Amino acid sequence: MAKQPPHRDPAQDAPHVGPPAHAAAGLPAIGHTLRMAADQMSPGRVLATLRKVNQPDGFDCPGCAWPDPDKPHLAEFCENGAKAVAEEATERRITPEFFAAHPVAELAERSGYWLGQQGRLTTPMLLDEDATHYAPIGWDEAFALIAAELTALGSPDEAAFYTSGRTSNEAAFAYQLFARRLGTNNLPDCSNMCHESSGSALTETLGVGKGSVSLKDLYQADLIIVAGQNPGTNHPRMLSALERAKRAGAKIVSVNPLPEAGLERFKNPQTPRGLVGGGTKLTDLFLQIRLGGDLALFRALNHLLLTTPDAVDEAFVAEHCAGYREFAAEAADLDRPATLAATGLPWEQIEELHRLVLSSRKIIVCWAMGLTQHKHSVPTIREVVNFLLLRGNVGRPGAGVCPVRGHSNVQGDRTMGIFERPSTAFLDALGKEFAFEPPRAHGHDTVDTIRAMRDGRVKVFFAMGGNFVSASPDTDATEAAMRRCRLTVHVSTKLNRSHVITGARALILPTLGRTDRDVSTLGPQFVSVEDSMGMVHSSRGGLRPPAPDLLSEVAIVSRLARAALGPQDPTPWEDFARDYDLIRDRIARVIPGFDDFNAKVRRPGGFALPHAPRDSRTFPTATGRANFTVNPLTAPDVPPGRLLLQTLRSHDQYNTTVYGLDDRYRGITGGRRVVLVNPADAAELGLADGQFVDLVSEWKDGVERRAEHFRVVHYPVARGGAAAYYPETNVLVPLDSTADISNTPTSKAVVVRLEPTA
């Protein structure tokens, strides 16, 4: 049997600090994987589960959205994917007796780590008004309660329907259909907090808000620039792809404020060289950029390309692009002192990157949250697109844009219509297929949903997965907003903080996970997901569900929709719950690229969605061309004596799910309340290594936002910056500090002062 969860909560313990690692994976990754799995599952269950991860006849790993290769390895998972699977496939259970023994007020004092370690949820639970404990409730009673609250609203827009990225395509399509049949576009999702800036910039410039490359492109690239991304922790299977590209001759440049072990050297645990040898050196050039300096870097690169003879692909620009003249005129001048100040880089390094670019015909730029969570994130990504367009690196094999998504189906959920600002074409197709008029007014994204709950304009909050309270910015404001709701509902597999920060009433609806068998009254069912590169494939769990009456996400949505919309609603919700093929048939008629969906998704490996810029060098933008843009240089304004903080993950973490209290790549064990500070900055601020401080963010509203008792760790962070783990530091991110255009929280650009802990 698996070990029992800890009885004490060690998350506040003082962490220990050692030297950071300079290589990722290898034998330590195998050992850590096996220990984590054995802690949650029996040996037989470990074997039965891990051998099905990312296999054509198995289930899609819930750990990230990295695509699967054409020929999966027998162990096609990484260390952190195995942790995610173990957390879901755990043999620990949370029963009604657990809630009877623990009042909500007590659970609210526990850390997210402790809550997550208690096991899988098994029973629908209700926290009634003025109650101190959750109590069990039947499924029909739960749906009737939600339906009564929804129908009592003055407007459908007083409800919000949040989606986590792990929701399947089928469940997401049914979910957005239900919300729109109800009459609202309030469909915030986790994309609003991560890659919304990517979608905004790419839609404007290329016409498609997704990446344009495939795994095959990575293997063919001459130069891969990885900017603002730490694949060793966040997308570890990407390291295998980078290793393969490297051996094919690619050069790799990493651009990041922190050195990351995974981009230094990769010890592939599936090869002898990785297990007993030195592994593969990945990065050829490391640019340790200052936080927020990426826009200045790409502007400088573009200036150098424009002033280098024959560097620009004139034929591509003339045939496929718009806005070039305005862009080139603005980029002709370069403020070198401002560029060096913003990037923190010596000019010689920028010139070295320029030389690598000139010697490379096929270039890919990969990025993640390090580029998307700043005030100027959209201009930054537009400037990345400018860089690629200059040399024709869109729509060419081995070249293109590669925003690397986090959740395993966050991109698929958006494709299915989980979006507060749906296109007219999508709404027209949805309305035609289901014979109704969808709402046309834009709904609330994540930040606007919090504001609406705070102001009493949203009274019912429904979450399909995720941990909204911990994932959102400005934790105190988010929690206060949640408590103003009449009803909060969470469809979940495990316990998290969002279950103990509630409205007047709260429901927890337990659901099947990716690893669980899904059997309806018609027989076994499967779902589908879309990976970070636009591949759609099936996912089938194989484990016995944690409880006999657990419902799938599709069944929960379908039964709730029938209860809330009534028998007069013509949508065949009961049929959808029994047969997911029927949902896929509807998707095929509503969403371009999904024709013959049921047949194609049953093929091993699935199928690729169309991408016009990649497939045919056509650009469905407002101009009908790829758009160059003008993006003036901006840099964060950090007063003297302050640092610019970025929030990030530890290696024992996936978003707000904390698997353990160690970050062995950064040399930190036994705790999470650390702040990484450059030794030179620490000396100027009088901060000793090991000293404890409070982090206090400074924002123009004058509100004090404080995260207490963090251990200072002298660490090679870029000058002027600092780093600390979220969700502990989400409290510091002001709700109204968001990226221009995308409204994404600026979690990588928080001005803080460090005060000695009292």
Side-chain angles (χ1 to χ4, degrees), residues 155-172:
S155 161
D157 290 327
E158 292 180 352
F161 298 90
Y162 175 77
T163 315
S164 162
R166 292 185 183 181
T167 304
S168 70
N169 287 330
E170 293 74 15

Side-chain angles (χ1 to χ4, degrees), residues 200-385:
S200 298
L202 295 178
T203 299
E204 177 187 354
T205 56
L206 302 180
V208 179
K210 302 180 181 183
S212 67
V213 302
S214 66
L215 273 180
K216 186 181 295 185
D217 289 315
L218 273 179
Y219 304 152
Q220 297 175 1
D222 299 323
L223 175 64
I224 301 170
I225 300 174
V226 182
Q229 184 197 359
N230 174 20
T233 287
N234 300 333
H235 317 91
R237 287 195 300 147
M238 182 178 176
L239 299 181
S240 299
L242 293 176
E243 179 184 51
R244 181 168 170 178
K246 183 83 173 181
R247 292 185 178 177
K251 298 290 186 180
I252 297 175
V253 174
S254 58
V255 183
N256 207 53
L258 285 77
E260 298 290 8
L263 284 169
E264 290 187 52
R265 183 172 292 276
F266 174 48
K267 295 184 176 181
N268 192 332
Q270 297 178 346
T271 66
R273 177 186 176 92
L275 287 176
V276 297
T280 302
K281 181 180 182 293
L282 293 182
T283 293
D284 295 282
L285 175 64
F286 172 45
L287 302 182
Q288 188 166 19
I289 200 160
R290 283 182 174 164
L291 274 169
D294 305 272
L295 173 58
L297 172 64
F298 281 97
R299 277 179 54 89
L301 272 180
N302 291 338
H303 168 80
L304 291 172
L305 290 174
L306 286 166
T307 55
T308 301
D310 302 320
V312 176
D313 187 336
E314 303 282 359
F316 173 84
V317 170
E319 183 178 354
H320 296 290
C321 299
Y324 176 72
R325 182 178 300 175
E326 296 82 358
F327 157 74
E330 199 274 342
D333 295 324
L334 180 75
D335 186 336
R336 185 178 293 193
T339 298
L340 297 180
T343 62
L345 300 172
W347 185 251
E348 292 75 18
Q349 279 198 329
I350 298 176
E351 289 183 320
E352 185 177 355
L353 175 56
H354 175 234
R355 288 192 293 272
L356 284 173
V357 170
L358 293 177
S359 65
S360 304
R361 181 173 181 272
K362 297 172 290 185
I363 301 175
I364 292 173
V365 181
C366 306
W367 70 87
M369 305 302 94
L371 262 61
T372 66
Q373 294 181 328
H374 297 267
K375 181 173 177 56
H376 56 277
S377 285
V378 174
T380 297
I381 296 164
R382 291 192 308 216
E383 198 67 23
V384 170
V385 174

Side-chain angles (χ1 to χ4, degrees), residues 522-546:
L522 190 66
Q525 302 295 314
F526 70 90
V527 296
S528 64
V529 298
E530 179 185 347
D531 66 32
S532 194
M533 294 181 177
M535 292 292 298
V536 178
H537 60 275
S538 63
S539 179
R540 297 172 176 83
L543 296 178
R544 179 184 297 174

